[in-house]
Amino acid sequence: MFKQVTYTGMIWLLAAQLAVMLPFVFDLPVWLVPVLLFAAGWRLRVLAGLASQPGNVTKLVLVLLGGGGLLLSGLQFPSLDAMASLLLLGFAFKSLEVVQRRDAIVVIFIGYFLVALHFLYTQSMLAALYGTLSMVVLTGALVGVQQSVTEFSTAQNVRFNLRLALVMLLQCLPLMAAIFVFAPRLPPLWSLPLSHVQAKTGVSDHMAPGDIEKLGKSDELAFRVSFQGKRPEQSELYWRGLVFNHFDGREWRQFEQDYDATQVAGALQTSFRWSPDKIRTPGEAVAYEAVYEKTGQPWLFTLTPTVEVSGDVLQGADYRVMAREVLQAPFLLKAVSYPQAQRDLALDPLMRSLALELPANSDPRSRELAGRLWRETGAAQAYIDKVLARFGSLGYEYTLNPPTLGGRDTIDAFLFDSQRGFCAHYAGSFVFLMRAAGIPARVVVGYQGGEWNETGQYLAVHQYDAHAWAEVWLPERGWVRVDPTTVVAPSRTEQGLEAAVRAEGSFLADSVFSVRKIAWLNTLNQQLDTVQYGWRRWVLGYDSAQQAELLKALLGSLSVAKVALLAGSVFGAIALGWLVLLGMTRRQAKEALEHRLYRQFCAALAKRGVQREPGDTPGAFAAEAAAALPKLAGVIHEFTRVYESVCYAPDAMDGRNAARKLKVLLGKLN
């Protein structure tokens, strides 16, 4: 016969449900939490005798309302969000019918599954710590719904259950670490599609006036980089992401058609395949590791050109590196780049045509300017220098708050009217002027610079480091990077965006709570970010390749027999350690609370001159003590009566109330 869940057990169950559901509030419909509170509140009222058990009709209505709520939430079916929401709804409604302990245990086991499920949404170190806390609370609830120490108060029971849960989890840590290190890294057997409405962050696949400056107002982290050798100069840190060849008069895009990520990946494997034969690699190599944050997009950002790269990525003829799947989790990339390399000394006809195309009949004033400057110079490099000098001499301004340029002839509007813009304005207009003069050119978008973390010895690149620059193709030099922004705001590449816009005070102006604005908070944030980066790199980045490297370092050469022997030795050592620890920590049965209180009672009377002999019964000792201490006779006899009742007639008195009464009487003797 299954026992019913007590009122205290339901409190434990409610606490466990709240702990499990809380992190899902940031990813799933927020109305699921009130549903949980409503269901748990009803259950508590039933236990307190203030409400009746919900009938089948009530349960059916609640299930229909919950299902309708999921449909109206706009979640895609099937998807991870929809399945998680459905499971959470069942998790909440299950508490309505929790009567017996087996029902509570089912709820707790679902809670364990949900803790694991949340790691599909985030794998940050904070999420791991909270997941561990949820496991402790769930295990404490599992203990709490099955047992309760009667002589403990409620607070003592809570501490006992939590301590026992924590000890049980700590005992599992060695086994968990061994499984993490030795278990094969296998691909998932099944998967659910992620929601298409998930927010995409970072650089997008098109560039219009106003797009990149929006990123310039965000302090979200984009990626972190560790260099294996000397770190390049700040002004050389151009992190290449996308290449824009097509311009429709207002917006720059990768191709004339709007391709999704799958189509872009297909193009990089067919028409725009990367060929290492087109690169000459003079100069020193730069080897580094980058850990990219989840963005919902496949774009990766590397130093140009990336020659060697590891990971599930694609390389393109335009020297981009792209993940095969959108980034729904932190992504580790190891790469080697040659910043001084020469690229495409012989330009492919397709790439040349893409780098020269311009929309017909757009921006006539810019076309006329390009023709005039070309006639004045007559050579590509002289023409480039002339255009850059024009940016530097005519009062152009670099700003995060540029004016709007309208829907037509945006290049004309910027070059001749507003003359105030962000990097996208300068890169786009520069490429237009190059193409108008017959010089192949293209826009490159990514990030520039980054914040060096001295403690962790890595570079943190944020969204406000987003940048656009240009590349021009020159005979005998190939593709050459040209950044017209440096002419107008040289501090942008040397010191970062904050220095470039310090005069107008627009840096993170919309981020009221940004830690970058307070020096000591920024320092503290860097310290915390160092720990988080270690977590990203060594825990989340522990894949099959790193596992193989570790095993090779331990075993020299890999074989099934060696790995099995090492794993067996580790697991055997853990089992032996458990046996030794259990033997060392085994203690005799703990003395009952009433006996401990009686010993304190005897000690208190001994201080007053009344010593109990080993052969005295409690009643005889009480008579002797009362005769010697007549003023305390009532307290002595009452303490002895309660003590004897607990020892010899436990069914006649509640153990918790008896212990509380003994403590009160003992206090009167001290």
Side-chain angles (χ1 to χ4, degrees), residues 31 40 68 115 119 247 308 482 633:
W31 56 264
V115 170
F119 288 112
F247 182 59
E308 301 174 20
V482 180

Side-chain angles (χ1 to χ4, degrees), residues 330-382:
F331 186 88
L332 174 65
L333 179 75
K334 297 181 180 181
V336 177
S337 299
Y338 285 83
Q340 299 177 21
Q342 294 178 322
R343 297 170 285 145
D344 293 356
L345 293 179
L347 188 58
D348 181 86
L350 174 60
M351 301 300 290
R352 179 184 292 274
S353 65
L354 290 174
L356 287 173
E357 71 170 31
L358 284 175
N361 304 319
S362 71
D363 303 283
R365 288 185 290 172
S366 299
R367 294 174 187 268
E368 190 278 329
L369 172 65
R372 176 166 55 83
L373 294 180
W374 179 258
R375 289 190 296 271
E376 293 176 3
T377 56
Q381 187 59 58

Side-chain angles (χ1 to χ4, degrees), residues 133-181:
L133 175 63
S134 299
M135 293 284 287
V136 172
V137 176
L138 280 167
T139 307
L142 186 61
V143 175
V145 299
Q146 296 188 85
Q147 69 176 24
S148 178
V149 184
T150 56
E151 63 266 24
F152 282 179
S153 65
T154 301
Q156 288 174 322
N157 261 309
V158 170
R159 289 196 296 269
F160 173 77
N161 293 342
L162 287 178
R163 183 168 61 250
L164 181 58
L166 185 60
V167 169
M168 292 170 65
L169 290 177
L170 288 176
Q171 289 174 342
C172 295
L173 281 180
L175 183 61
M176 179 195 71
I179 293 174
F180 175 79
V181 171

Side-chain angles (χ1 to χ4, degrees), residues 253-383:
R253 296 196 302 271
Q254 301 177 81
F255 307 101
E256 184 175 359
Q257 300 84 10
D258 280 329
Y259 287 169
D260 59 24
T262 303
Q263 292 172 315
V264 173
L268 295 187
Q269 297 177 81
T270 54
S271 305
F272 299 92
R273 296 186 64 179
W274 178 71
S275 174
D277 298 334
K278 296 182 178 181
I279 304 176
R280 294 182 182 177
T281 55
E284 296 183 0
V286 178
Y288 56 92
E289 294 181 357
V291 179
Y292 301 90
E293 295 297 300
K294 180 178 81 170
T295 60
Q297 302 188 97
W299 322 126
L300 303 177
F301 304 91
T302 59
L303 297 177
T304 302
T306 297
V307 177
E308 301 174 20
V309 61
S310 65
D312 193 14
V313 300
L314 295 170
Q315 292 179 264
D318 53 10
Y319 301 95
R320 78 173 72 192
V321 178
M322 171 184 170
R324 292 182 182 269
E325 302 290 340
V326 297
L327 304 187
Q328 297 295 353
F331 186 88
L332 174 65
L333 179 75
K334 297 181 180 181
V336 177
S337 299
Y338 285 83
Q340 299 177 21
Q342 294 178 322
R343 297 170 285 145
D344 293 356
L345 293 179
L347 188 58
D348 181 86
L350 174 60
M351 301 300 290
R352 179 184 292 274
S353 65
L354 290 174
L356 287 173
E357 71 170 31
L358 284 175
N361 304 319
S362 71
D363 303 283
R365 288 185 290 172
S366 299
R367 294 174 187 268
E368 190 278 329
L369 172 65
R372 176 166 55 83
L373 294 180
W374 179 258
R375 289 190 296 271
E376 293 176 3
T377 56
Q381 187 59 58
Y383 176 76

Side-chain angles (χ1 to χ4, degrees), residues 479-552:
W479 288 109
V480 178
R481 182 183 71 234
V482 180
D483 188 355
T485 300
T486 59
V487 178
V488 182
S491 58
R492 168 62 187 88
T493 56
E494 297 171 0
Q495 303 175 46
L497 178 64
E498 183 177 9
V501 296
R502 183 174 290 122
E504 71 175 13
S506 58
F507 181 70
L508 299 180
D510 298 334
S511 301
V512 180
F513 300 104
S514 174
V515 298
R516 286 277 306 179
K517 297 182 178 181
I518 304 175
W520 69 270
L521 277 179
N522 189 48
T523 302
L524 177 61
N525 183 63
Q526 285 195 339
Q527 301 278 349
L528 296 175
D529 192 67
T530 300
V531 180
Q532 178 68 27
Y533 179 55
W535 172 265
R536 287 271 198 259
R537 188 177 180 187
W538 302 114
V539 178
L540 301 183
Y542 186 73
D543 54 12
S544 56
Q546 288 200 354
Q547 186 182 54
E549 290 180 6
L550 176 62
L551 293 177
K552 285 181 181 179

Side-chain angles (χ1 to χ4, degrees), residues 14-186:
L14 173 60
Q17 287 183 294
L18 283 174
V20 170
M21 292 189 71
L22 182 61
F24 286 96
V25 172
F26 303 102
D27 301 292
L28 300 176
V30 70
W31 56 264
L32 287 171
V33 173
V35 167
L36 165 65
L37 297 176
F38 167 77
W42 192 336
R43 182 74 259 157
L44 291 175
R45 287 176 59 84
V46 170
L47 289 175
L50 302 176
S52 60
Q53 182 78 11
N56 292 333
V57 175
T58 303
K59 293 178 183 178
L60 179 60
V61 171
L62 290 174
V63 169
L64 292 176
L65 289 175
L70 288 181
L71 292 175
L72 294 175
S73 297
L75 299 176
Q76 178 190 2
F77 286 89
S79 69
L80 176 62
D81 286 354
M83 297 300 102
S85 298
L86 189 61
L87 186 59
L88 283 167
L89 192 63
F91 186 59
F93 282 156
K94 182 63 180 176
S95 63
L96 281 175
E97 60 178 7
V98 171
V99 177
Q100 298 175 339
R101 286 182 179 175
R102 64 179 181 181
D103 299 319
I105 292 173
V106 169
V107 173
I108 292 171
F109 284 173
I110 295 175
Y112 284 126
F113 184 79
L114 284 169
V115 170
L117 180 66
H118 188 254
F119 288 112
L120 296 178
Y121 288 91
T122 175
Q123 298 87 37
S124 68
M125 188 173 61
L126 182 60
L129 292 174
Y130 187 84
T132 303
L133 175 63
S134 299
M135 293 284 287
V136 172
V137 176
L138 280 167
T139 307
L142 186 61
V143 175
V145 299
Q146 296 188 85
Q147 69 176 24
S148 178
V149 184
T150 56
E151 63 266 24
F152 282 179
S153 65
T154 301
Q156 288 174 322
N157 261 309
V158 170
R159 289 196 296 269
F160 173 77
N161 293 342
L162 287 178
R163 183 168 61 250
L164 181 58
L166 185 60
V167 169
M168 292 170 65
L169 290 177
L170 288 176
Q171 289 174 342
C172 295
L173 281 180
L175 183 61
M176 179 195 71
I179 293 174
F180 175 79
V181 171
F182 294 108
R185 262 44 188 174
L186 299 176

